[in-house]
Amino acid sequence: MYDAIVIGAGPAGLQAALTLGRMHRSTLLLDSGEYRNGAVLHMHNVIGNDGTPPAEFRATARAQLGAYDDVEIRDIRAESVSGAEGDFTVTLSDGSTASGRNIILATGVIDDLPDVQGLSALWGTRAFACPFCDGHEHAGRPIAILGGADRAAHLIGLLGRIVREITVVPVAETFTAEEVASLEAQGARVSGSAVVAVSADDAGVVVRTSDAEHTVAGVFVASGTMRQRAPFAAQLELRMRESGAIEIDDFGRTSAPGVFAAGDLAHRAELPGPMAAVMVAATAGQLAAVGIIQSLLVAEH
């Protein structure tokens, strides 16, 4: 019986395991090998690791966890979670099970991209969502924003001082005259027709519409949704927020006692939504681990 089973080995899960290990709490870290930033070549906006490949970051973290006897890492997928506080059972993909007093869900989310030919192939390398993570790399260069007018306007506000030129291209329906005027007032060019396909070339990305081609350095996506990567929130009947993220408190506690969540699959009511950032995820993992340690102390005394 582990004190904690951490499901997911991205920044949130790795940090949670480290914090638990340093407090000599028996911990099982389950790594399915699937990560939201799996296609990304370099992390950014991570102090001390700006520009580090995510795979290198994970490898370093796992090597450091090897110094802690109370942390066990298994490269295997968790399929289901059942039970209650003090006695959870995690069923693994090979049919075996593991038991834990507490669970940390850190499996992250999946990005559902708009249905644009070629977009998924560019995701994480030439097509992005986060200006904080990838905006600076396009400094002084032209970009395109794909998506709806409201979210495009938000991205223009963030990227306008960084890039040289912004072309906003609708994904499905074209913009209204009012939307076009508003986007142009922010300094953007606006395509009169929706995107048909995107592809990479030596200059960057070619964005094709029904009547034009736009060659840009990169693409930012202002549409699309995200969803839970794993079924555990549904299995445990956790309370969810409108964003599709798991509802948590400041220490990652969910609506089910003994179940904690950390990373971009969850968020606190005080935040407008889940924060897709490595350092935020790691902090959430640390706080969830502290929450578990607090609950274990209460149970033991």
Side-chain angles (χ1 to χ4, degrees):
M1 175 74 73
Y2 296 94
D3 287 327
I5 299 177
V6 182
I7 307 177
L14 291 164
Q15 180 62 55
L18 176 61
T19 301
L20 289 161
R22 289 190 58 80
M23 297 307 295
H24 291 212
R25 293 294 184 174
S26 58
T27 303
L28 173 62
L29 175 63
L30 300 174
D31 187 350
S32 70
E34 296 177 323
Y35 318 100
R36 187 181 189 184
N37 65 355
V40 174
L41 300 179
H42 302 94
M43 302 186 310
H44 295 290
N45 200 31
V46 183
I47 192 68
N49 282 283
D50 195 37
T52 300
E56 180 181 323
F57 175 88
R58 291 190 295 268
T60 299
R62 285 183 56 142
Q64 292 174 351
L65 286 172
Y68 296 90
D69 294 338
D70 290 295
V71 178
E72 177 184 349
I73 303 175
R74 297 189 202 172
D75 292 308
I76 192 168
R77 179 195 305 275
E79 297 290 352
S80 66
V81 182
S82 60
E85 185 177 22
D87 187 16
F88 290 101
T89 298
V90 179
T91 301
L92 307 177
S93 58
D94 64 358
S96 65
T97 61
S99 299
R101 295 180 177 86
N102 299 275
I103 300 291
I104 296 182
L105 303 178
T107 51
V109 297
I110 292 175
D111 293 292
D112 288 324
L113 300 176
D115 186 15
V116 174
Q117 181 182 334
L119 183 58
S120 61
L122 301 184
W123 187 243
T125 57
R126 302 200 185 191
F128 313 95
C130 175
F132 295 94
C133 303
D134 299 291
H136 172 75
E137 282 61 47
H138 296 84
R141 306 169 72 192
I143 65 161
I145 296 175
L146 308 183
D150 288 344
R151 291 175 67 180
H154 178 65
L155 287 179
I156 293 169
L158 293 170
L159 291 164
R161 65 185 301 112
I162 299 173
V163 303
R164 188 182 80 224
E165 182 180 86
I166 298 175
T167 301
V168 181
V169 185
V171 165
E173 299 178 359
T174 55
F175 300 130
T176 66
E178 291 77 14
E179 290 172 332
V180 170
S182 177
L183 293 170
E184 289 180 339
Q186 289 186 268
R189 300 169 56 193
V190 181
S191 169
S193 54
V195 60
V196 173
V198 295
S199 60
D201 72 358
D202 293 339
V205 178
V206 177
V207 180
R208 295 182 176 86
T209 69
S210 60
D211 58 4
E213 287 189 358
H214 307 277
T215 299
V216 293
V219 168
F220 285 78
V221 179
S223 61
T225 58
M226 66 178 190
R227 54 187 165 88
Q228 296 286 314
R229 178 177 295 279
F232 310 130
Q235 291 171 356
L236 295 165
E237 299 181 345
L238 302 181
R239 190 156 53 237
M240 308 295 289
R241 301 198 60 80
E242 290 183 5
S243 62
I246 300 169
E247 181 179 294
I248 57 171
D249 70 3
D250 289 348
F251 284 95
R253 300 181 187 94
T254 72
S255 57
V259 179
F260 296 71
D264 50 13
L265 83 171
H267 82 267
R268 304 171 4 239
E270 293 81 3
L271 296 176
M275 306 294 285
V278 170
M279 294 189 73
V280 174
T283 300
Q286 181 171 358
L287 289 171
V290 171
I292 283 181
I293 293 164
Q294 291 173 334
S295 69
L296 288 169
L297 289 173
V298 170
E300 292 165 355
H301 296 88

